[in-house]
Amino acid sequence: MQLEMGAASHVGAVRQVNEDACFAATHLALVADGMGGHARGDVASRLAIDPFRALGARTDLVPADIQRALAEANAGIVADAREHAEREGMGTTLAGIALVDYFGSPHWLVFNVGDSRVYRLGATAVSLLTHDHSEVQELVDVGRLTNEQARVHPLRNIVTRSLGTDPAPEVDVWLLPLAPDDVFLVCSDGLTNELDDATIAALGSVSSPTGDAAARLVAAAVEAGGRDNVTAVVVRVPRAATVEDPSQVATGPRSAHLSEESR
């Protein structure tokens, strides 16, 4: 199955360097948002993406492939920072989605570390599939902030988990069954800090070409303030694609810490 994908990225209205990086090919899409400023967050986000490039042309991905790439991404950032003292402290968030074979059935593997996100886009609403690892999300989780307050809170850019640490961070993983006309958005927090869910739903229209939807979302976030780099990747199952009846596969999302045997 060939998925439809479109990506867009912008440095924003304030920053001088785009520390975001993204990759979209065949059955895999991901966004990394680098951190570190002069410590080269742009290098960290690129290093996080690099191990996934070898998977870009494959249509036979299994969960273990993604796990190995995540481990390589973290190890690569840590090793680079040790080799270049000026890059000490660099890190990156990472969020993505992959179409994988899970015990003989096609599933979406959704994963994230940090506060980059994956959404499912509907005709009139969006559903957040990932959970931020951030200071403000912890405050939301205990009821001290609403989601709307979190979007403008001064601690909104402080993440509690990222790639580039030793020991390696725990990456959250979910498995979801494939469904006809699935549409997903993978994005950095530069988009979600500027646009609310209703705006994302309206601009990420499921009927638009994926490239147009991604460009429209990024442009709107920049116009709304563009206080950070902004990146979006939109992924769609083609309408003509044949998809296994979702009632015959496992329901989701499910949090999963998958082993090498998950293939």
Side-chain angles (χ1 to χ4, degrees):
M1 182 189 304
Q2 180 63 52
L3 302 177
E4 297 174 3
M5 299 185 182
S9 187
H10 196 285
V11 69
V14 176
R15 303 293 178 90
Q16 300 301 309
V17 176
N18 192 345
E19 295 186 320
D20 286 359
C22 66
F23 181 70
T26 314
H27 286 178
L28 176 66
L30 56 157
V31 168
D33 180 358
M35 304 167 296
H38 293 297
R40 301 302 301 272
D42 57 322
V43 174
S45 61
R46 175 181 57 78
L47 290 171
I49 296 291
D50 282 350
F52 291 89
R53 297 187 186 279
L55 307 179
R58 288 181 48 184
T59 59
D60 60 346
L61 295 175
V62 295
D65 294 320
I66 306 302
Q67 287 185 295
R68 282 191 289 268
L70 287 166
E72 291 173 16
N74 189 74
I77 297 169
V78 171
D80 191 88
R82 287 173 176 165
E83 183 177 350
H84 301 90
E86 71 277 10
R87 298 176 188 172
E88 182 180 358
M90 70 176 177
T92 185
T93 70
L94 185 70
I97 186 167
L99 184 60
V100 301
D101 179 89
Y102 185 63
F103 291 107
S105 295
H107 277 68
W108 296 111
L109 185 76
V110 175
F111 53 96
N112 86 296
V113 57
D115 59 359
S116 293
R117 295 177 172 181
V118 180
Y119 289 86
R120 188 195 296 271
L121 302 181
T124 59
V126 299
S127 175
L128 178 60
L129 301 179
T130 52
H131 190 78
D132 291 353
H133 308 129
S134 67
E135 293 271 6
V136 294
Q137 185 60 54
E138 291 180 359
L139 294 173
V140 170
D141 290 344
V142 297
R144 293 179 58 187
L145 287 178
T146 66
N147 286 324
E148 285 305 306
Q149 290 171 330
R151 287 182 55 241
V152 296
H153 195 278
L155 295 179
R156 64 184 178 276
N157 293 323
I158 307 300
V159 299
T160 55
R161 207 184 297 179
S162 63
L163 294 179
T165 62
D166 185 13
E170 181 178 342
V171 179
D172 288 347
V173 178
W174 295 265
L175 281 165
L176 299 88
L178 189 66
D181 300 335
D182 272 338
V183 184
F184 299 94
L185 167 67
V186 188
C187 62
S188 62
D189 71 330
L191 188 143
T192 53
N193 284 339
E194 303 291 358
L195 306 180
D196 59 22
D197 286 0
T199 303
I200 292 173
L203 296 176
S205 171
V206 296
S207 61
S208 297
T210 54
D212 292 350
R216 195 162 50 236
L217 285 162
V218 168
V222 174
E223 184 177 351
R227 291 166 290 180
D228 199 353
N229 311 142
V230 187
T231 302
V233 181
V234 178
V235 179
R236 175 186 293 123
V237 175
R239 296 184 184 280
T242 299
V243 178
E244 181 177 354
D245 181 356
S247 67
Q248 300 303 309
V249 298
T251 57
R254 294 183 297 172
S255 180
H257 302 291
L258 304 170
S259 69
E260 293 287 332
E261 298 174 354
S262 301
R263 33 178 90 233

